[in-house]
Amino acid sequence: VSFYLIYRAIVVANISDPFTFLWKNLKDKELALSHALEESWRVSESLKTSEQSYRDALVYTQSIIDTVKQPLIVLDEKLIVDSANKSFYKFFWTSQENTEKKYLPIIFNQEWDEKRLFQRLRQVILEGVNFYDLEVTHNYPKIGQKILLFSGKKIKLPVNRPPLILLSVEDITERKQMETELHETKDYLEKLIKHANAPIIVWNPEFEVIQFNYAFEQFSGYKADEIIGQKLDILFPPDLKQQSLQNIINSAEGENRGIIEIPILCKNQKKRILLWSSANIYKYYYNNEKRQLIATIAQGQDITELKQIDKSKNEFLSLASHQLRTPLSVIMLSAEMLERSAAGELSEKAGQYLKNISSMSKNMSDLIESFLNISKIELGTFVAYPEMSNLNEKVDRGVQEILPFIKD
């Protein structure tokens, strides 16, 4: 190479000092080579640093994965297990030796062929399309029949490294069983409500009717589809809507022991009375520390006829009381006049009988007054006037009233 450079310096370039030319070229080449070596060293050190950072990142990531309670597994592009966390080993009753570097289907079951899961995993690798909550029901080794939710996400690695898949597993077997039982219970309760003998109605927090059973249809004359979705006060007489609604709210919250009388305006515009018992249904959160009202259920008993009978009874008592007062007043007045006109002419025994007539007549008058008070009490117009009373005198008077009849 050196002779070739000298030849070019003398013959081709016509340089008078070929050795200086040669030295300069060699120094330039050496400098360029030195720069190239330095750059190569820097790249090498950078690669070493990147490799170390990558390894550190893997260790850090694996430590995070191990602390997660949810089973996690990392797969390569061929669905070979790269690693898994402790929750995965615990859930599937397996070990690291029986899991890592194994084909995923072999870990779960030799005959397992869940095409949907495989298809989604391939889409993650080839298209970068992640998936979430893929439900798979399968009989897994050791843990038996389970319903699991799989979610897969692509993990991008540094250049020249194939991507990985992070696959998470969530066991929803118990939740599904609870949902099934809940649906069965809900179906049972709905049928129980629908076919109950007593009128039953359910409404949401916005006072919109959501259930209306057959007995309530018979009672009100409305069909369920005419009432469901409507406001609750559609069933109340217009002049009593606000009052009835407030009474129901107070009743459901525990006032009046939850039992009140509610007037219902039937489809034929006749007013009937329900003895209404209601209760709120809550959904509880945070260990029963918070609750949310989700519905109110009420059961009614038709007391319309009882109220009419009760009204007739009160009217009878009132009428009978007034009718009895007239002859009783005559008896009391006659006894008083007889006592005055025959003073001193009657024997002691006859005088005692006359006093008994006056006393018993007064008792009868008090009894009639009590009948009238019953009506006043039920109407809410009764006013009590407490007064001091001598119990001994009342007992003595009672004894004196019955004593003549005992002697006879």
Side-chain angles (χ1 to χ4, degrees):
V1 174
S2 300
F3 283 109
Y4 173 72
L5 292 173
I6 294 171
Y7 166 76
R8 285 187 57 82
I10 297 173
V11 178
V12 179
N14 193 21
I15 297 175
S16 58
D17 189 359
F19 295 100
T20 302
F21 174 77
L22 177 61
W23 179 255
K24 184 177 182 301
N25 274 273
L26 287 175
K27 293 295 287 183
D28 291 342
K29 298 295 182 181
E30 182 182 358
L31 184 61
L33 180 60
S34 175
H35 287 318
L37 289 174
E38 289 179 3
E39 185 64 26
S40 175
W41 180 83
R42 281 196 296 269
V43 171
S44 177
E45 289 298 316
S46 177
L47 288 175
K48 289 181 181 179
T49 303
S50 298
E51 181 71 19
Q52 186 61 40
S53 299
Y54 168 69
R55 293 182 183 279
D56 292 343
L58 284 181
V59 173
Y60 177 72
T61 304
Q62 186 63 40
S63 64
I64 294 176
I65 290 176
D66 283 338
T67 59
V68 176
K69 293 184 178 180
Q70 185 176 1
L72 298 175
I73 187 169
V74 180
L75 308 171
D76 65 13
E77 57 185 350
K78 295 181 181 179
L79 303 185
I80 303 297
V81 178
D82 183 82
S83 63
N85 68 348
K86 295 178 181 178
S87 298
F88 182 89
Y89 299 135
K90 182 179 180 181
F91 178 77
F92 287 101
W93 291 14
T94 185
S95 63
Q96 185 175 359
E97 294 76 14
N98 295 326
T99 303
E100 290 188 1
K101 310 307 176 185
K102 300 290 177 61
Y103 187 44
L104 179 64
I106 294 178
I107 297 174
F108 287 155
N109 193 313
Q110 290 282 358
E111 301 176 354
W112 190 47
D113 182 19
E114 178 51 55
K115 295 182 179 179
R116 293 184 304 147
L117 181 57
F118 288 161
Q119 183 181 0
R120 294 293 186 88
L121 291 172
R122 293 189 189 98
Q123 287 179 341
V124 172
I125 290 294
L126 300 177
E127 304 174 16
V129 179
N130 301 327
F131 66 91
Y132 303 93
D133 297 338
L134 177 65
E135 185 177 317
V136 176
T137 302
H138 182 66
N139 189 12
Y140 299 91
K142 297 183 181 180
I143 64 173
Q145 185 83 7
K146 293 288 183 180
I147 304 174
L148 304 181
L149 288 182
F150 289 92
S151 298
K153 182 175 179 61
K154 187 175 183 178
I155 304 175
K156 295 181 180 180
L157 298 179
V159 182
N160 299 327
R161 293 184 180 275
L164 299 176
I165 302 175
L166 178 62
L167 187 66
S168 66
V169 184
E170 181 183 357
D171 183 12
I172 61 169
T173 308
E174 292 185 5
R175 191 175 80 190
K176 281 290 186 179
Q177 291 175 349
M178 291 179 62
E179 288 178 356
T180 301
E181 293 174 0
L182 183 61
H183 284 303
E184 291 175 353
T185 303
K186 181 182 178 182
D187 182 63
Y188 170 77
L189 291 175
E190 287 180 350
K191 289 180 178 178
L192 187 65
I193 291 173
K194 182 177 180 180
H195 300 289
N197 292 328
I200 297 177
I201 186 171
V202 183
W203 63 88
N204 61 21
E206 289 73 36
F207 294 96
E208 295 173 346
V209 179
I210 55 178
Q211 282 192 331
F212 194 78
N213 76 340
Y214 180 73
F216 220 125
E217 289 183 341
Q218 296 295 106
F219 169 77
S220 65
Y222 288 104
K223 294 295 182 181
D225 54 5
E226 295 179 276
I227 299 299
I228 292 177
Q230 301 289 335
K231 292 292 186 180
L232 180 63
D233 59 9
I234 192 176
L235 296 170
F236 307 145
D239 58 329
L240 298 174
K241 283 188 176 184
Q242 187 173 357
Q243 179 184 346
S244 299
L245 201 58
Q246 188 60 51
N247 289 340
I248 288 173
I249 294 173
N250 296 338
S251 172
E253 291 177 350
E255 298 183 18
N256 302 325
R257 297 184 180 180
I259 301 176
I260 52 175
E261 293 181 9
I262 296 294
I264 301 294
L265 185 64
C266 300
K267 192 173 182 179
N268 59 7
Q269 298 303 305
K270 290 184 178 180
K271 187 171 70 174
R272 300 184 68 85
I273 307 297
L274 275 183
L275 190 61
W276 190 289
S277 176
S278 60
N280 288 335
I281 303 173
Y282 294 96
K283 182 177 182 181
Y284 288 86
Y285 300 91
Y286 307 110
N287 296 326
N288 296 335
E289 292 181 0
K290 293 185 178 181
R291 66 181 186 178
Q292 176 187 358
L293 178 65
I294 58 175
T296 302
I297 183 171
Q299 175 181 323
Q301 178 184 354
D302 186 7
I303 59 171
T304 308
E305 293 182 0
L306 291 177
K307 294 291 288 185
Q308 291 175 348
I309 292 173
D310 194 52
K311 182 180 178 181
S312 300
K313 178 201 69 176
N314 292 337
E315 291 176 351
F316 169 76
L317 288 176
S318 179
L319 179 62
S321 298
H322 285 91
Q323 292 296 326
L324 288 173
R325 272 186 169 183
T326 302
L328 186 60
S329 298
V330 173
I331 294 174
M332 293 177 66
L333 182 60
S334 298
E336 184 179 353
M337 292 178 64
L338 181 61
E339 186 178 2
R340 289 179 181 178
S341 61
E345 298 180 5
L346 296 175
S347 64
E348 182 179 351
K349 190 173 184 179
Q352 186 61 45
Y353 287 153
L354 195 58
K355 289 181 179 180
N356 289 341
I357 291 174
S358 299
S359 177
M360 295 299 291
S361 298
K362 187 176 186 309
N363 289 346
M364 182 63 73
S365 177
D366 292 341
L367 181 62
I368 293 172
E369 187 66 27
S370 298
F371 286 154
L372 291 174
N373 287 338
I374 292 175
S375 300
K376 292 179 181 180
I377 290 172
E378 294 183 349
L379 293 173
T381 59
F382 176 76
V383 179
Y385 297 98
E387 59 180 14
M388 298 297 293
S389 180
N390 191 321
L391 185 60
N392 291 330
E393 291 182 358
K394 291 185 177 294
V395 172
D396 290 340
R397 188 176 66 181
V399 171
Q400 293 299 324
E401 289 173 354
I402 63 173
L403 192 58
F405 301 101
I406 295 175
K407 290 181 179 179
D408 292 343

